[in-house]
C-alpha cells in the first residue's frame, strides 16, 4: 500500500496516522518535528516570515523557536544572506540536522503505518506535515 497523504481534512470514515516525534536532552526538546518543519520551510522559501506564515505561526514564535533550538544544540542553524535583506539560508549543520531528522521521522512514520495496517486491519493513511518526495 502506498504512503499517500490524507490531506488537511479527512474524508468521512478515513483513518489517519498522526505522529509527533522529538528527541530530548536534559529534559528539554533537542530537536523535533516542529523545528525541523521550520528549517525545511526556511530552506524552501528563504524567509523566516514566509516560513512562519506557511506553518501558521507568528514571526515572533518562529524566531523564538529557532533561537531556542540553536541554543540547545549549541550551533547556528540559519544565517542571513549577505546583501539580500531579511533572506535566510540554512547553515551546513542546519541543513544536515534537518535532513537527518526528516529521514528519521519518515522511517518511523513508514513503520508505524505498516504496523497500524497490519495490527488493526485497516486502511490507514499518512498525515505527516511532509512526505518522502520532500527529501529527493
Amino acid at each position: 500500500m502506498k504512503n499517500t497523504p490524507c490531506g488537511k481534512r479527512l474524508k468521512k470514515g478515513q483513518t489517519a496516522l498522526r505522529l509527533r516525534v522529538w528527541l530530548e536532552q536534559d529534559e528539554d526538546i533537542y530537536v523535533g518535528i516542529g523545528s525541523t518543519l521550520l528549517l525545511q520551510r526556511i530552506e524552501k522559501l528563504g524567509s523566516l516570515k514566509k516560513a512562519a506564515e506557511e506553518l501558521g505561526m507568528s514571526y515572533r514564535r518562529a524566531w523564538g523557536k529557532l533561537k531556542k533550538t540553536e541554543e540547545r544544540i549549541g550551533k547556528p542553524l540559519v544565517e542571513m544572506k549577505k546583501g539580500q535583506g531579511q533572506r535566510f539560508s540554512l547553515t551546513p549543520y542546519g541543513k544536515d540536522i534537518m535532513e537527518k531528522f526528516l529521514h528519521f521521522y519518515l522511517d518511523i512514520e513508514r513503520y508505524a503505518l505498516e504496523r497500524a495496517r497490519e495490527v488493526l486491519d485497516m486502511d490507514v493513511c499518512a498525515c505527516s506535515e511532509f512526505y518522502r518526495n520532500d527529501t529527493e
Side-chain angles (χ1 to χ4, degrees):
M1 198 175 297
K2 226 170 118 179
N3 244 13
T4 55
C6 296
K8 296 252 182 208
R9 293 217 163 124
L10 294 176
K11 296 174 187 157
K12 187 166 177 63
Q14 193 174 24
T15 305
L17 172 71
R18 297 193 189 273
L19 299 173
R20 288 288 178 206
V21 177
W22 63 89
L23 299 175
E24 290 183 1
Q25 191 174 71
D26 299 326
E27 298 183 25
D28 203 359
I29 295 174
Y30 182 77
V31 66
I33 195 64
S35 54
T36 301
L37 287 171
L38 183 57
L39 290 174
Q40 183 189 46
R41 296 312 193 285
I42 291 169
E43 179 183 46
K44 176 183 171 188
L45 302 169
S47 164
L48 181 60
K49 182 180 182 212
K50 289 179 183 176
E53 287 171 1
E54 195 169 290
L55 292 170
M57 67 173 72
S58 70
Y59 179 87
R60 182 179 175 157
R61 182 169 170 230
W63 181 255
K65 178 182 272 301
L66 180 61
K67 289 295 143 195
K68 192 171 183 181
T69 302
E70 287 182 332
E71 286 172 20
R72 283 189 308 262
I73 290 174
K75 294 182 180 184
L77 302 174
V78 298
E79 56 195 1
M80 297 278 285
K81 290 184 179 180
K82 292 183 182 178
Q84 295 189 19
Q86 292 290 314
R87 304 289 294 169
F88 286 88
S89 63
L90 300 187
T91 63
Y93 185 79
K95 186 170 176 67
D96 185 54
I97 198 162
M98 177 202 66
E99 289 174 351
K100 286 178 178 176
F101 190 86
L102 177 62
H103 284 285
F104 168 70
Y105 178 90
L106 292 169
D107 286 346
I108 291 169
E109 181 187 62
R110 185 181 61 246
Y111 175 77
L113 270 173
E114 289 170 6
R115 289 294 292 156
R117 290 169 180 161
E118 178 183 315
V119 172
L120 303 172
D121 194 29
M122 299 176 78
D123 183 23
V124 180
C125 63
C127 281
S128 67
E129 301 287 337
F130 42 65
Y131 302 98
R132 286 261 176 227
N133 61 2
D134 287 343
T135 63
E136 295 171 353

